[in-house]
Amino acid sequence: MCTEQELLDFMRETAYKPLTYKELEKHFGIEDAAEFKEFLRLLTGLEQEGKVLQTRSNRYGVPERMNLLRGRIQTHSKGFAFLIPEDKEHPDLYIHANDMKGTMNGDIVLARVSAKNENGKLEGEIVRIVKRAVTQVVGQFHNHDSFGFVEPDDKRITKDIFIRAENFKGAVTGQKVVANIITYPEGRTAAEGEIIEILGHKDDPGVDILSIIRKHGLPESFPDDVLAEAEAAPDTITEEEIAQQGRRDLRNKVIVTIDGEDAKDLDDAVNVERLPSGNLLLGVHIADVSYYVREKSKLDEEAYNRGCSVYLVDRVIPMLPHRLSNGICSLNPQVDRLTMSCEMEFEPDTMKRVRYDLFTSVIRTTERMTYTNVRKIVNEEDPEVAERYAGLVDTFKLMKEMALGLRSMRMRRGAIDFDFQESKVIVDEQGKPVDIIKRERSIAEQIIEEFMLAANETVAEHFHWLKVPFVYRIHEEPTNEKLLTFMQFASNFGYAVRGKGNTVHPRALQTLLEEIRGTKEETVLSTMLLRSMKQAKYEAESLGHFGLAADYYTHFTSPIRRYPDLIVHRVMREVLENEGALPESRFEALNARMADIASQSSERERVAVDAERDTEKLKKAEYMLDKIGEEFTGIISGVTSFGMFVELENTVEGLIRLSDMTDDYYHFHELHMALIGERSSKIYRIGDEVEIRVARVNMGDHTIDFEPLNMRPRSAERVSFVDARGGPGAGRNAARKRKKLNAAGRWVGVGGGGGSGSGERSGRGKGGSRGGKEAGREDRRGGPGAGSEERKGGAGRGTSVPAELDGGFYSSVVAGSGKRKKKPRAEAEAVSVPSAAAAPVARVTAEDGVVRESAAGKASGGKRRGPGVDMWGLPRSGNYKTIDDEADGGKSYGKRKGRGDGGARGTGKPSKPSRPSKPLVKPDASVTPQAAGDEKPRKRKKKKE
């Protein structure tokens, strides 16, 4: 009987051609009836999982040999999606909204590559849905008598769920409900569901957080069998137990825990000593959770499914029951606890590790310290606290010395240290937010961070060289494309990132962060750098950690709240008990599971992070509800094509929409991520301070809108494109005046003749999306998780042109009053410009946030516009074709006079024949076309009545 892996390997061979099940049976020599039945069951199972595909001729093969990709769908709120292939070497596949075939976010699908766009990105279409990810939907119910709809809270589910009247289960309009999906969407048919739980009215206390918990599928309580196993755990440790396991007794050492004031699951403790040789000894002792959570137990299965503890604004959803996490596994003071220990000896000057030891142990912590008290002791801020812990003062000062030395060594190595501000929302008993406070990253937090990082690296390196199955924490290098984009962006500010070939060492990036510290552009560049990074994740192979500049890294220090740490402890215990090796059978069993454990842990981590962000975003929006109309000072944290994001002192972030910036018409420059005023040359970029007023709070989307203060309205003299060129509603003389000026080769702004304008064209265009930012550190225990989802970036504001951009886009288009100096006739029409001006300039219409990029700008390939092209990339003479013409079926009428008509300038020779002339817009019934020489428009004769 062949195994699943053998069957798949056979089908992946180059010489393999699709075979029927009978041919496969013959090839593998299956003769027994029971084996044949088992073989068919295996083949059917692989087909259902999408690992094997059956052709129309009933032959079997693997999808990759049939030009199909298997992967997971990530949908966008605008309807399109990306396929994330299981083959990590294959790039992501863009799926158009029309090619979704009823798929939903998270589904496992098979897709076919159908095209490659102009940017070289792959596009595809869904061929088959292998596995559905969404089975339940949380949302707001709307009753329409004979039927109803559930409007999903998850905006990635773009269509409402249809509910028949008999499936209402008592739900009424305005309630938050959980709906089970009965049938999935197909074509224009919406998904159908039934109400299985009513959470309460959307405005009831606690329903908002409960909705987020249900939306992300977070379990609230533990099953009875899991709780029963937890209750069976002992409350104390016996001496016989310690002796039987051969644990090293460390109960006579001064070992302390350092955590937050409200922490209850204390899973790490530390001690430091200065040895007679002068070297420093660091001991990191972690609660031995694996001793109480045995493999394949109910506790282990539940911990695997949860993946990690989830820390929401008003509650914690633990990975393990409180009986363990707050009891026998918590390193409470003055009680015996079983631990896994890592002792490391360092040279005091270089902090080079010269020796280490991993072993099982028993400890008794001397004191339960808080970050606040440790900070007061080592910084000598509070003599009262120092007196209270007088016996530990020298220990904490040695810890500070050692932590700073470890950090200095890590920085020299090239680790990247992002120091972004974190916050905590304080809620009352009803769950209402009452305050938002910043989280401090004091020396006390740094002590624990550095000690945990050192232990994680030591354990990872040890087990890498043992070559046993293990779970590592990895952080891959950023892609060349994103790195190049960042380097170009940094060069605009005069900074260069050094590297060899297509690679950049993290030391070069950290050097840049140190160079910009305290400068005006610090926020800009650090944000864009974070955006360029990949996301840290778990993997069964040791691939290194780019952000930490570490060759080996794992998570060893938090087994109470992270399942990968629990697995690391389990492998450590088995290796130590078997004198540094694993039995062959055990090696194979662990090796087969590690990839799945790593993938599951990464996936559950992302769910936890998303849920934590959702609750924080929700409570921050609720906190600002009664602040509407109040004025604040904020810092621009992001600039986009539809506005700019502003972060207040309390870390609350809101959007200033382009439509609320009424003092000018702003252009979005993508390369510099800047909003630039057309007439005033005012520039908005990240890091600049702005005065705002809270305008709106949308509790449905958890978003906040700001409006800028002291915004004067735009001038009413602005003329639209159509009016300026003689369309309906414009003065004819104004249009003619513009033609004459252009023929003379002068630069005139839009509506330069001074006609009566009605503003710019409006319409829907591409907007933009903004993702959340990931913290610069993975967490307090895991060190910098230099990884980012997508983060908004931007560039800055000023009342004059920045010196570093002088001579580029800003000086040629924006500086001054919008007028452009006339160039000498002999000067070439297209002049290349530095990289700072290489990106095409998008035209932004403030009323609707539409971004339009000129066709000429795209075609020019980053060249400066010549004298024959206006600031929007349109020719100053010759034919005009705009969006209005496209709406008319591509027709245009009439022709503008200029160099294109009258021949080459100064030569008298006719120019090359051009296309038939067409005017910009269709003739209006109220305006009669006039002859070229007429001074006044012809009057229409009145009809005789």
Side-chain angles (χ1 to χ4, degrees):
M1 176 64 187
C2 71
T3 64
E4 174 183 328
Q5 194 60 46
E6 287 174 345
L7 181 60
L8 292 175
D9 289 342
F10 172 62
M11 291 183 176
R12 287 171 182 151
E13 289 179 3
T14 308
Y16 175 80
K17 294 182 179 180
L19 301 176
T20 64
Y21 72 90
K22 289 185 179 180
E23 291 169 336
L24 288 169
E25 172 196 2
K26 183 178 179 180
H27 171 80
F28 286 104
I30 299 173
E31 297 178 356
D32 184 74
E35 285 188 7
F36 177 67
K37 187 181 292 186
E38 190 65 29
F39 176 73
L40 286 183
R41 188 178 289 112
L42 171 64
L43 200 58
T44 304
L46 290 174
E47 184 191 359
Q48 290 175 349
E49 294 175 11
K51 295 180 180 179
V52 166
L53 209 61
Q54 186 178 11
T55 66
R56 293 178 181 177
S57 57
N58 296 322
R59 296 176 179 273
Y60 293 90
V62 287
E64 53 264 37
R65 294 293 304 278
M66 301 180 184
N67 297 322
L68 295 178
L69 274 178
R70 189 176 190 270
R72 185 180 297 273
I73 283 291
Q74 282 188 358
T75 59
H76 191 276
S77 58
K78 293 184 178 180
F80 62 86
F82 288 94
L83 175 77
I84 312 300
E86 290 182 350
D87 180 4
K88 298 177 182 178
E89 302 298 324
H90 199 286
D92 295 349
L93 198 65
Y94 171 79
I95 309 292
H96 191 274
N98 296 336
D99 298 321
M100 291 291 288
K101 306 287 179 64
T103 56
M104 302 176 77
N105 185 60
D107 288 351
I108 303 294
V109 302
L110 294 176
R112 178 181 290 111
V113 178
S114 58
K116 183 182 285 189
N117 62 22
E118 62 273 11
N119 297 322
K121 303 294 184 181
L122 298 179
E123 299 181 1
E125 57 182 354
I126 305 297
V127 174
R128 177 185 158 196
I129 300 171
V130 174
K131 183 181 178 182
R132 291 287 188 177
V134 180
T135 57
Q136 295 180 352
V137 173
V138 179
Q140 187 173 335
F141 182 70
H142 299 274
N143 189 344
H144 295 276
D145 295 333
S146 60
F147 64 92
F149 283 100
V150 174
E151 181 185 350
D153 286 349
D154 190 347
K155 301 306 176 185
R156 294 173 297 184
I157 302 176
T158 55
K159 295 181 180 178
D160 296 346
I161 311 300
F162 174 78
I163 309 292
R164 297 181 188 272
E166 60 267 25
N167 293 326
F168 285 4
K169 305 295 174 64
V172 298
T173 298
Q175 285 184 330
K176 283 292 183 76
V177 299
V178 181
N180 196 40
I181 296 182
I182 301 173
T183 60
Y184 287 90
E186 187 173 351
R188 295 187 178 183
T189 306
E192 182 179 341
E194 60 178 352
I195 307 299
I196 60 172
E197 185 181 4
I198 299 173
L199 303 179
H201 193 273
K202 62 182 180 67
D203 296 328
D204 290 346
V207 171
D208 47 8
I209 297 289
L210 188 58
S211 298
I212 291 175
I213 291 173
R214 291 288 191 275
K215 168 187 170 184
H216 293 283
L218 301 176
E220 280 191 285
S221 59
F222 288 94
D224 293 337
D225 53 357
V226 174
L227 292 175
E229 281 192 8
E231 289 297 326
D235 291 324
T236 58
I237 301 166
T238 63
E239 291 296 331
E240 294 78 16
E241 202 175 5
I242 297 170
Q244 184 180 0
Q245 298 174 50
R247 291 179 177 267
R248 192 177 300 182
D249 193 341
L250 303 177
R251 286 176 288 185
N252 61 337
K253 290 184 177 289
V254 179
I255 300 176
V256 297
T257 59
I258 306 176
D259 291 274
E261 280 79 353
D262 54 352
K264 296 178 181 178
D265 51 348
L266 314 178
D267 52 9
D268 59 272
V270 295
N271 74 292
V272 295
E273 298 177 27
R274 193 180 297 277
L275 301 176
S277 63
N279 287 351
L280 297 174
L281 181 70
L282 167 64
V284 176
H285 315 282
I286 310 299
D288 191 356
V289 180
S290 64
Y291 178 76
Y292 300 99
V293 181
R294 297 294 183 175
E295 189 176 18
K296 296 183 180 178
S297 65
K298 296 296 181 183
L299 277 167
D300 184 49
E301 290 176 5
E302 185 68 15
Y304 169 83
N305 292 330
R306 295 186 177 221
C308 59
S309 297
V310 185
Y311 295 84
L312 305 181
V313 168
D314 64 342
R315 72 195 76 182
V316 176
I317 300 177
M319 183 181 77
L320 298 172
H322 291 296
R323 166 82 178 178
L324 292 177
S325 61
N326 296 354
I328 192 66
C329 291
S330 183
L331 306 182
N332 299 325
Q334 303 297 331
V335 293
D336 294 349
R337 289 292 184 260
L338 302 182
T339 51
M340 302 289 290
S341 294
C342 174
E343 280 191 350
M344 297 156 283
E345 184 180 336
F346 297 93
E347 292 178 349
D349 298 329
T350 62
M351 293 310 293
K352 178 184 177 182
R353 190 186 65 218
V354 295
R355 182 186 66 84
Y356 70 87
D357 193 10
L358 304 178
F359 54 92
T360 59
S361 58
V362 57
I363 67 169
R364 180 182 296 165
T365 56
T366 305
E367 195 68 61
R368 185 238 195 268
M369 299 297 298
T370 64
Y371 292 127
T372 303
N373 286 339
V374 171
R375 173 176 53 80
K376 289 179 179 179
I377 291 171
V378 297
N379 289 344
E380 299 179 354
E381 295 178 1
D382 194 330
E384 183 179 338
V385 176
E387 184 179 352
R388 178 182 171 188
Y389 300 104
L392 297 173
V393 169
D394 292 339
T395 298
F396 291 126
K397 289 186 176 181
L398 185 57
M399 284 184 180
K400 176 182 178 180
E401 176 190 336
M402 194 169 189
L404 293 177
L406 287 170
R407 174 180 166 77
S408 177
M409 180 270 296
R410 202 161 48 82
M411 293 298 103
R412 290 195 303 271
R413 186 177 69 191
I416 304 173
D417 186 23
F418 292 101
D419 191 13
F420 288 104
Q421 188 66 57
E422 299 178 6
S423 63
K424 181 180 181 181
V425 182
I426 307 298
V427 297
D428 59 18
E429 294 179 357
Q430 287 73 39
K432 182 178 180 181
V434 294
D435 195 10
I436 300 175
I437 59 174
K438 290 186 176 181
R439 293 182 187 269
E440 287 191 35
R441 191 190 175 198
S442 66
I443 183 62
E445 282 86 355
Q446 289 182 37
I447 287 173
I448 289 298
E449 283 178 10
E450 296 302 331
F451 290 178
M452 297 305 120
L453 285 170
N456 285 335
E457 289 185 42
T458 301
V459 171
E461 183 175 1
H462 179 79
F463 283 91
H464 168 76
W465 292 114
L466 282 183
K467 300 188 184 302
V468 296
F470 212 63
V471 177
Y472 297 93
R473 180 73 168 178
I474 70 163
H475 181 227
E476 298 170 290
E477 294 185 9
T479 61
N480 292 336
E481 182 182 357
K482 286 192 174 182
L483 210 50
L484 180 61
T485 301
F486 171 74
M487 292 167 71
Q488 289 176 339
F489 183 77
S491 67
N492 295 327
F493 296 88
Y495 296 100
V497 180
R498 297 176 182 177
K500 296 180 180 179
N502 293 327
T503 61
V504 172
H505 193 277
R507 185 188 294 111
L509 301 177
Q510 177 59 28
T511 301
L512 174 65
L513 290 177
E514 291 171 358
E515 285 182 19
I516 64 175
R517 188 158 292 139
T519 64
K520 183 180 179 182
E521 57 269 12
E522 177 182 6
T523 309
V524 179
L525 293 174
S526 57
T527 300
M528 290 299 290
L529 177 58
L530 185 64
R531 250 182 112 182
S532 305
M533 295 291 170
K534 282 190 176 181
Q535 209 169 342
K537 62 181 179 179
Y538 297 102
E539 190 60 69
E541 297 179 50
S542 179
L543 303 178
H545 199 293
F546 181 80
L548 293 173
D551 293 329
Y552 318 98
Y553 193 70
T554 190
H555 274 173
F556 155 74
T557 53
S558 296
I560 289 179
R561 59 191 182 93
R562 289 193 303 232
Y563 191 72
D565 302 55
L566 179 59
I567 293 298
V568 165
H569 278 224
R570 188 169 291 156
V571 174
M572 285 180 65
R573 166 187 300 285
E574 291 195 41
V575 169
L576 292 173
E577 289 176 353
N578 288 278
E579 299 180 354
L582 286 175
E584 186 176 345
S585 59
R586 189 63 183 145
F587 183 96
E588 292 177 358
L590 284 172
N591 199 42
R593 285 199 63 202
M594 284 305 169
D596 176 62
I597 289 172
S599 175
Q600 164 76 357
S601 300
S602 297
E603 186 177 329
R604 295 308 301 170
E605 180 188 40
R606 293 314 315 152
V607 171
V609 169
D610 289 343
E612 290 166 6
R613 286 176 180 167
D614 281 355
T615 54
E616 186 173 320
K617 193 176 176 183
L618 161 72
K619 289 304 177 183
K620 283 184 175 181
E622 186 178 347
Y623 178 75
M624 297 301 290
L625 266 177
D626 57 357
K627 308 289 190 298
I628 294 177
E630 295 186 17
E631 298 177 0
F632 297 91
T633 299
I635 301 295
I636 298 176
S637 57
V639 180
T640 70
S641 59
F642 50 85
M644 57 188 182
F645 290 94
V646 175
E647 186 175 295
L648 306 184
E649 177 67 21
N650 60 8
T651 72
V652 169
E653 195 170 50
L655 172 67
I656 296 180
R657 300 183 184 274
L658 219 57
S659 55
D660 292 327
M661 300 173 67
T662 56
D663 64 334
D664 204 341
Y665 290 83
Y666 286 90
H667 300 265
F668 175 59
H669 194 262
E670 189 172 4
L671 182 62
H672 294 96
M673 302 294 284
L675 287 176
I676 308 162
E678 182 180 305
R679 294 191 302 272
S680 64
S681 302
K682 186 181 291 184
I683 302 172
Y684 288 98
R685 63 180 176 185
I686 290 181
D688 289 336
E689 198 174 87
V690 289
E691 302 290 331
I692 61 96
R693 180 186 297 110
V694 181
R696 295 170 291 275
V697 175
N698 185 336
M699 289 306 298
D701 295 333
H702 310 153
T703 56
I704 305 165
D705 282 358
F706 296 153
E707 57 185 16
L709 299 181
N710 307 319
M711 279 278 177
R712 293 178 298 177
R714 305 182 184 97
S715 171
E717 298 179 357
R718 184 173 176 79
V719 182
S720 72
F721 288 144
V722 175
D723 294 343
R725 292 165 188 164
R732 284 307 194 189
N733 291 335
R736 288 180 66 255
K737 182 178 180 181
R738 178 179 176 107
K739 290 180 183 179
K740 290 179 181 178
L741 290 172
N742 277 339
R746 298 177 184 171
W747 165 254
V748 181
V750 173
S756 59
S758 59
E760 297 186 14
R761 292 193 309 270
S762 65
R764 291 192 176 275
K766 63 181 180 179
S769 64
R770 166 185 172 265
K773 58 188 177 181
E774 181 166 340
R777 302 179 300 279
E778 286 174 17
D779 50 44
R780 183 175 66 83
R781 308 302 189 198
S788 78
E789 299 284 282
E790 192 170 292
R791 176 165 170 85
K792 63 263 175 205
R797 176 178 74 87
T799 54
S800 61
V801 181
E804 65 271 15
L805 302 174
D806 191 27
F809 166 78
Y810 296 93
S811 59
S812 62
V813 176
V814 180
S817 61
K819 296 184 178 181
R820 186 166 179 165
K821 294 181 180 180
K822 183 175 176 181
K823 294 183 179 293
R825 294 186 178 182
E827 183 176 343
E829 292 203 2
V831 182
S832 62
V833 296
S835 60
V841 180
R843 171 70 172 150
V844 180
T845 302
E847 286 77 11
D848 57 4
V850 174
V851 184
R852 296 190 180 97
E853 180 182 324
S854 69
K858 290 180 178 178
S860 65
K863 302 294 182 180
R864 184 182 296 183
R865 295 177 295 275
V869 180
D870 67 19
M871 72 177 292
W872 290 281
L874 298 172
R876 294 195 194 136
S877 58
N879 292 334
Y880 278 80
K881 187 172 182 179
T882 68
I883 295 175
D884 299 317
D885 303 330
E886 298 290 348
D888 294 336
K891 299 176 181 179
S892 53
Y893 312 84
K895 188 174 186 180
R896 291 184 57 179
K897 294 181 180 180
R899 255 166 45 190
D901 273 322
R905 180 183 293 175
T907 62
K909 298 179 181 179
S911 60
K912 295 182 180 180
S914 58
R915 296 177 181 177
S917 59
K918 301 174 183 178
L920 180 63
V921 296
K922 293 181 179 179
D924 193 284
S926 62
V927 181
T928 305
Q930 64 190 74
D934 290 349
E935 292 297 329
K936 298 180 180 180
R938 299 176 182 176
K939 295 183 180 180
R940 299 183 65 180
K941 295 182 179 180
K942 295 183 179 179
K943 294 183 178 180
K944 294 182 179 179
E945 298 183 356

